[in-house]
Amino acid sequence: MINRKVLYKGMLLLSTVGLLAACGNEDDGATDDTTDDATEETVDETGDDTAEETTDTASDEDAPEKPESLHMWVNNEEQQLDAYEEITARFTEEYGIDVQITPYEMLEQLEGMSLDGPAGQGPDLFFQPHDRMGDIYLQGLAAELDLTDDQLERLGEYNEEAVQSFSFEGIQFGIPAVVETYALFVNNELVPEAPETMDELMDIARDLTGDGQFGFMMDAANLYFTYPFITADGGYIFGQDENGVYDPTDIGLNTPEAVSAVEMIQSWFDEGLMPPGTDLEVASSLFMDGQVGMVVDGPWAIPDYRDAIGENLQVVELPTQDGEPLNSFSGNKGWLVNYFTDHEYWATELALFITNEENSTTYFEVAGELPAHTAVEIDDEFMEPIFAQSQNAHPMPNIPEMSQVWEPMGDALQFVQQGDDVQEVLDEAVANIEANISMMGQ
């Protein structure tokens, strides 16, 4: 495994060095840090006192000498940039290491890293969603983190599933920063008391539905939103070993447990509790019009729902089923250390610092995204329940094979709304997924 990655990096370096030498790098924030650091680090311009400093977060006597600066690519959203300007200033004050920030669209960073990384011109840290870990691994762009005991102890304070989502093939590559999932939105004018169990939710749905009104709606043809119900009794997407490594040959979407769950979803349509073809746009529109009592949605919907429903809006965790919490799907974003950095230890320290409890609190207050650090207290009546739900969320599988799951399962969930046999539909979906995955290897 390691030899294959090293070979890839060597080939990538050879294939890009000529182009980079001719074209240079137009990113004016990613220039001399990595090329001159080896020389600069031999001189301690601040004297012995700086070299001997210790802190609560980096007290390891074996820590390498501090670089003069570190460089990070931050997603080019104004609020995120404002938050990290404030947070990295604290890092500089505490450690005496300057932090360069370059605004860089998150979804464009991998392309930039594939050029700048091997040339020694990339950042020390870059920012990515967890479900791109497969591509990041195959391109050899992120360093395998060699965490010290102290770093591991601090990482233990983060959402365990979010941490796992930045692991690939059992190797930790990233530090999670933010989590995103969904919850149950309730119109208290129609539903004065939010349900705590699925049985209660279904009772309310049946009582309210009729004459153009519905008790409960969701995008039931979308695996992202139906995942909690499909997996509640033991259904799964890919099997995992004891280290959390996914097995794309073990697909659990047509097991008896998954079939039973999708039959429950089908019953919502058989009973007329929601019309076939209902998607998130339809559910959201009817909810804002006061025609739906409850919908499953995410934090992005809060501003519109708050404006439409006002003081009657309530957000709660998903109800329990058979006494157990429903596990929503989560999408996580986090910081990865450039494979080619000369400062892996201090880049990791920076990633842990900017995502610790204090700084995650600042990030939430400024940027509005929920933190992966579980000790943060969210003082917001709408976001707090979603943060609580994130503690019971499963990250979307981060292997490339996951891309082959969405469309077949979306089609399957559409067919069951129309009354098709659930077992047959799911068997066909899994066969299509397996065929699509097989073609990926060609």
Side-chain angles (χ1 to χ4, degrees):
M1 181 187 306
I2 300 300
N3 289 340
R4 177 170 59 82
K5 288 183 66 187
V6 171
L7 176 61
Y8 174 88
K9 295 182 179 71
M11 292 172 64
L12 181 63
L13 179 58
L14 288 173
S15 66
T16 57
V17 67
L19 173 65
L20 290 163
C23 299
N25 178 19
E26 296 180 358
D27 178 3
D28 57 9
T31 52
D32 296 329
D33 285 358
T34 54
T35 54
D36 293 331
D37 281 337
T39 300
E40 292 171 355
E41 286 176 2
T42 61
V43 180
D44 180 8
E45 295 179 354
T46 58
D48 293 339
D49 290 341
T50 301
E52 293 176 359
E53 284 183 285
T54 59
T55 69
D56 291 338
T57 53
S59 58
D60 191 342
E61 294 180 358
D62 297 326
E65 187 175 358
K66 297 177 185 178
E68 289 189 359
S69 66
L70 293 168
H71 179 208
M72 54 192 286
W73 284 352
V74 175
N75 189 39
N76 60 347
E77 294 287 339
E78 182 178 357
Q79 291 176 314
Q80 296 177 31
L81 289 164
D82 289 345
Y84 282 121
E85 289 285 358
E86 178 178 345
I87 290 167
T88 56
R90 296 173 185 162
F91 182 83
T92 298
E93 181 179 359
E94 183 162 343
Y95 294 107
I97 301 172
D98 290 332
V99 180
Q100 269 186 301
I101 290 177
T102 297
Y104 207 127
E105 169 64 38
M106 178 179 66
L107 296 181
E108 296 177 2
Q109 288 186 21
L110 286 192
E111 183 178 357
M113 284 295 300
S114 67
L115 294 174
D116 290 351
Q121 296 178 316
D124 298 289
L125 286 181
F126 61 107
F127 188 67
Q128 287 294 291
H130 85 270
D131 57 354
R132 303 185 85 182
M133 278 306 308
D135 289 337
I136 292 168
Y137 172 80
L138 291 175
Q139 293 188 58
L141 298 176
E144 300 177 5
L145 298 184
D146 184 17
L147 298 168
T148 66
D149 290 343
D150 175 60
Q151 290 172 336
L152 283 169
E153 182 178 355
R154 280 179 274 151
L155 193 59
E157 300 172 0
Y158 293 58
N159 182 309
E160 184 177 353
E161 294 283 355
V163 172
Q164 182 67 33
S165 72
F166 284 95
S167 169
F168 195 84
E169 298 291 339
I171 301 167
Q172 192 68 35
F173 285 95
I175 307 296
V178 298
V179 296
E180 183 176 84
T181 192
Y182 42 86
L184 187 68
F185 288 70
V186 180
N187 183 340
N188 287 146
E189 185 175 2
L190 299 177
V191 183
E193 187 171 346
E196 295 183 2
T197 69
M198 276 301 297
D199 287 340
E200 291 175 0
L201 183 146
M202 297 313 300
D203 287 343
I204 294 170
R206 294 183 181 102
D207 290 343
L208 284 180
T209 299
D211 298 326
Q213 180 176 276
F214 300 90
F216 169 63
M217 275 191 173
M218 61 173 290
D219 189 350
N222 189 333
L223 178 62
Y224 177 70
F225 289 107
T226 55
Y227 176 86
F229 308 100
I230 292 174
T231 59
D233 292 326
Y236 58 95
I237 298 178
F238 298 119
Q240 292 176 271
D241 67 14
E242 64 276 7
N243 296 316
V245 177
Y246 291 103
D247 179 1
T249 67
D250 178 10
I251 300 172
L253 291 168
N254 62 341
T255 63
E257 295 82 3
V259 170
S260 175
V262 176
E263 287 175 343
M264 178 190 71
I265 293 172
Q266 186 179 59
S267 73
W268 303 342
F269 299 91
D270 290 345
E271 292 185 44
L273 298 179
M274 63 181 81
T278 298
D279 59 15
L280 188 59
E281 183 177 356
V282 169
S284 175
S285 177
L286 292 175
F287 184 68
M288 287 189 288
D289 288 342
Q291 294 177 255
V292 177
M294 300 171 289
V295 296
V296 175
D297 212 335
W300 53 83
I302 290 173
D304 288 341
Y305 289 167
R306 186 173 50 211
D307 290 344
I309 298 173
E311 63 183 12
N312 285 315
L313 178 65
Q314 181 184 14
V315 182
V316 298
E317 294 177 63
L318 296 179
T320 62
Q321 183 166 313
D322 298 327
E324 297 294 329
L326 292 176
N327 301 115
S328 55
F329 244 162
S330 69
N332 309 312
K333 293 176 283 189
W335 293 101
L336 297 113
V337 176
N338 180 356
Y339 178 90
F340 299 94
T341 181
D342 291 330
H343 310 302
E344 180 180 328
Y345 175 86
W346 285 107
T348 305
E349 278 298 314
L350 176 59
L352 286 165
F353 182 89
I354 62 180
T355 57
N356 67 21
E357 179 182 355
E358 176 187 1
N359 293 313
S360 287
T361 301
T362 297
Y363 187 78
F364 170 72
E365 291 171 348
V366 177
E369 293 191 291
L370 291 171
H373 201 292
T374 59
V376 177
E377 295 185 6
I378 304 299
D379 186 17
D380 184 290
E381 64 175 315
F382 302 125
M383 293 293 279
E384 190 281 329
I386 299 176
F387 183 60
Q389 178 63 46
S390 74
Q391 312 304 310
N392 290 314
H394 292 165
M396 292 177 285
N398 62 6
I399 56 176
E401 289 84 354
M402 184 62 196
S403 65
Q404 306 304 320
V405 175
W406 298 107
E407 185 174 349
M409 279 303 296
D411 292 342
L413 291 167
Q414 289 278 10
F415 292 143
V416 301
Q417 293 180 24
Q418 300 165 14
D420 290 10
D421 182 82
V422 172
Q423 182 73 67
E424 292 179 4
V425 166
L426 292 180
D427 285 345
E428 182 178 356
V430 169
N432 289 335
I433 292 167
E434 290 173 339
N436 292 343
I437 290 175
S438 178
M439 292 178 64
M440 291 176 67
Q442 295 181 359

